[in-house]
């Protein structure tokens, strides 16, 4: 298990650490789904994953929860990049629009999250999920509450 002190890192530092270190010993939804941190900037994150049969809904396409999780992760992590060390956040609201289905055959889905507003108490962001052909799978907005440092 890692001994890295996450509370000492700014949100941007933490997201860059995850991108470069790809910690396999830190339990997370990203590890469970096989998410990759492709781009990390202040206020912007790009994540991707490869679909698999386990992601199927009863109709055989990728379950909408996978796209929603990608969006929640990309937008939330984008918000996190704007926060100082020791400060957290959590999703207050998530609004997802589904445009088309995605296949479960290993295609790469890419999610981009971008901060719209980062305030002292709340932050908002928008996101989109694209398939390998650049077709829009889903798009979303979120509102996050900023949690003050503990202690």
């Amino acid at each position: 298990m890692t001994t890295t002190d996450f509370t000492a890192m700014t949100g941007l530092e933490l997201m860059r650490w995850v991108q470069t270190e790809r910690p396999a010993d830190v339990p997370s939804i990203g590890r469970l789904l096989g998410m990759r941190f492709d781009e990390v900037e202040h206020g912007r994150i790009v994540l991707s994953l490869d679909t698999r049969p386990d992601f199927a809904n009863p109709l055989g396409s990728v379950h909408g929860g996978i796209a929603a999780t990608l969006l929640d992760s990309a937008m939330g992590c984008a918000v996190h990049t704007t926060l100082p060390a020791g400060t957290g956040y959590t999703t207050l609201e998530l609004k997802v629009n589904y445009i088309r289905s995605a296949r479960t055959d290993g295609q790469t889905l890419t999610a981009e999250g971008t901060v719209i507003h980062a305030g002292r108490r709340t932050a908002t962001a928008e996101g989109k999920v694209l398939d390998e052909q650049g077709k829009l799978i889903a798009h979303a907005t979120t509102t996050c509450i900023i949690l003050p440092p503990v202690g």
Side-chain angles (χ1 to χ4, degrees), residues 7-41:
T7 63
M9 296 180 182
T10 67
L12 182 59
E13 290 168 342
L14 178 57
M15 293 298 102
R16 285 184 173 155
W17 179 84
V18 170
Q19 180 187 31
T20 58
E21 297 300 317
R22 300 183 185 266
D25 61 341
V26 178
S28 71
I29 191 70
R31 183 179 79 172
L32 179 66
L33 296 181
M35 286 185 205
R36 298 176 294 274
F37 280 73
D38 299 328
E39 298 178 39
V40 175
E41 302 170 19

Side-chain angles (χ1 to χ4, degrees), residues 17-128:
W17 179 84
V18 170
Q19 180 187 31
T20 58
E21 297 300 317
R22 300 183 185 266
D25 61 341
V26 178
S28 71
I29 191 70
R31 183 179 79 172
L32 179 66
L33 296 181
M35 286 185 205
R36 298 176 294 274
F37 280 73
D38 299 328
E39 298 178 39
V40 175
E41 302 170 19
H42 185 267
R44 182 176 169 274
I45 293 280
V46 177
L47 303 175
S48 63
L49 59 71
D50 298 326
T51 64
R52 57 184 190 249
D54 287 339
F55 293 175
N57 61 25
L59 298 173
S61 58
V62 172
H63 189 284
I66 299 298
T69 301
L70 260 173
L71 287 161
D72 189 41
S73 297
M75 294 183 299
C77 288
V79 166
H80 200 166
T81 65
T82 69
L83 301 179
T87 303
Y89 70 94
T90 193
T91 302
L92 282 175
E93 179 266 341
L94 175 66
K95 167 67 170 91
V96 180
N97 293 283
Y98 297 98
I99 306 304
R100 64 177 42 87
S101 63
R103 300 184 324 268
T104 62
D105 62 356
Q107 76 168 319
T108 299
L109 298 180
T110 302
E112 179 180 1
T114 306
V115 172
I116 297 168
H117 166 77
R120 289 183 309 123
R121 304 201 58 184
T122 61
T124 57
E126 60 188 1
K128 60 187 174 182

